[in-house]
Amino acid sequence: MEPNADPELRTLVDMADEYPELDANVIRAREGDAFFVCAGNRLLRFPRGPIQTSELHFGVLTAAARGEPVPYSPVFPVRRKENSPYSFITLGRTSNCDLPVPDESVSKLHAILRVDEGGVRVQDAGSRNGTEVNGEAVLARSSDSVPIEPGSRLRFGSVAMIYVDAEGLLALLASKRRGSTNEWNITPTTGGARQPGDPKRLVIVDDSRTQRALLGDALRDEGFEVFDVEHPFDAVAAVEECDPDLVLVDFLMPTQNGGALCQDLKEANPNRNVWLISALDASDLAALKEAYGADDCADKAAGTEHLVEKVKEALGS
């Protein structure tokens, strides 16, 4: 019988508690400068406490905590174990691996990671379900290892992750600290039922608190029901929870660009109405819409009033 990976995974919330000073240099000294953070579209609710491996699914994980939904995304420092006999880092399903990922779609030894002064490179280890970097398959030959950079999207089997450095992790920890006003602030809807005459519902995804407040207040003044999400890692689960009529996604965000998030939202629900917001010119906005499959793009530089009018026209309000 193969050994199970340790079910007590460290999550963003756990690490936010471990590093109350939120100092990237401290994190770098203790943990290194490379991290894989789970992302994706699958959602699991479980009570806070040890996670049973048999119940574990990766993606944006939520747990009932103090009656509020709190995102619990597992974090994997990319580093070798102290007793590792290898010069490289192993990722796989068993606890023998440096990065144990207990998901049935992940092979016992799934991928090999190499870290040097040039950064991190990923190589498939002949896995059953494959490895991808930014949507491209990675081959099982050392000569075909693929370099990654902060923000790269990875997939091991069906487990989706995003690579961040210490600065990127710091931004995530700041938003996941227990009790923080920046925590995911959407109350889940019950059964998703919408009544005739209810106001149109929107979700704004933007890392800027100021931009979320300006746009959100302007839309509420026009009678819309508006929820906002600070971090793109939380967005897919949040959108599935509140089932909005429209999702407005800022294109430029530090840990995942809005185009990639748009694709994730469309993967979860192809009929989801998603707009990208950017200050690019008209031709570039059209290119973004086509490249990422957005339903529309809005010119951020035109101002809040222009965007609100565009939303009113589209939703018939």
Side-chain angles (χ1 to χ4, degrees):
M1 182 175 179
E2 69 181 72
N4 288 324
D6 184 357
E8 295 192 29
L9 298 172
R10 296 164 75 202
T11 69
L12 288 171
V13 176
D14 295 328
M15 293 190 72
D17 284 351
E18 292 176 38
Y19 294 98
E21 66 276 19
L22 293 178
D23 187 322
N25 290 327
V26 174
I27 293 172
R28 194 176 290 112
R30 297 178 185 174
E31 309 279 354
D33 197 30
F35 304 86
F36 289 167
V37 182
C38 285
N41 299 331
R42 288 184 291 179
L43 192 68
L44 174 70
R45 294 188 179 282
F46 57 88
R48 183 70 180 119
I51 306 169
Q52 297 301 315
T53 302
S54 61
E55 299 174 355
L56 183 63
H57 289 279
F58 286 79
V60 180
L61 306 180
T62 65
R66 303 184 305 279
E68 297 291 334
V70 178
Y72 279 76
S73 297
V75 179
F76 297 88
V78 180
R79 62 188 181 191
R80 290 187 302 126
K81 291 181 177 178
E82 291 184 0
N83 60 350
S84 172
Y86 306 113
S87 60
F88 50 80
I89 299 167
T90 57
L91 181 150
R93 192 172 70 242
T94 74
S95 59
N96 295 329
C97 292
D98 299 305
L99 277 66
V101 183
D103 186 277
E104 61 184 8
S105 69
V106 175
S107 297
K108 293 181 181 179
L109 175 59
H110 195 103
I112 292 172
L113 313 168
R114 303 178 190 275
V115 181
D116 56 31
E117 293 181 356
V120 181
R121 301 185 68 88
V122 179
Q123 172 193 342
D124 189 75
S127 66
R128 181 178 70 255
N129 294 316
T131 301
E132 294 181 0
V133 173
N134 296 324
E136 299 292 333
V138 177
L139 301 180
R141 297 182 301 196
S142 59
S143 59
D144 293 308
S145 63
V146 176
I148 59 175
E149 57 186 21
S152 291
R153 303 165 67 213
L154 304 103
R155 189 174 296 276
F156 303 101
S158 60
V159 177
M161 299 190 187
I162 293 180
Y163 166 51
V164 298
D165 58 13
E167 294 290 347
L169 181 65
L170 178 66
L172 295 178
L173 298 185
S175 70
K176 297 297 174 287
R177 185 188 297 280
R178 287 190 178 91
S180 167
T181 57
N182 291 333
E183 274 186 357
W184 178 24
N185 62 352
I186 292 182
T187 302
T189 56
T190 305
R194 302 285 294 278
Q195 301 299 321
D198 282 354
K200 298 292 186 180
R201 181 178 293 170
L202 290 85
V203 169
I204 301 170
V205 186
D206 195 320
D207 62 297
S208 168
R209 181 186 302 180
T210 300
Q211 292 299 321
R212 294 197 312 272
L214 287 172
L215 181 55
D217 288 347
L219 288 166
R220 292 183 186 97
D221 287 344
E222 296 293 334
F224 294 104
E225 184 180 14
V226 182
F227 300 95
D228 62 84
V229 180
E230 177 180 9
H231 201 281
F233 287 173
D234 298 332
V236 174
V239 167
E240 291 303 300
E241 286 282 5
C242 67
D243 192 26
D245 299 286
L246 175 62
V247 186
L248 301 174
V249 178
D250 184 44
F251 183 70
L252 292 177
M253 291 185 284
T255 54
Q256 183 183 22
N257 75 55
L261 175 56
C262 176
Q263 292 176 324
D264 287 345
L265 291 167
K266 288 291 192 178
E267 181 181 342
N269 182 349
N271 296 319
R272 182 72 65 201
N273 190 7
V274 184
W275 292 8
L276 290 174
I277 306 173
S278 173
L280 298 174
D281 60 36
S283 61
D284 289 330
L285 288 175
L288 286 183
K289 177 181 175 181
E290 181 177 354
Y292 294 105
D295 293 280
D296 205 345
C297 288
D299 183 2
K300 198 172 188 177
T304 300
E305 183 177 347
H306 171 81
L307 180 52
V308 171
E309 289 301 317
K310 186 177 176 71
V311 170
K312 288 170 61 178
E313 181 180 350
L315 298 184
S317 177

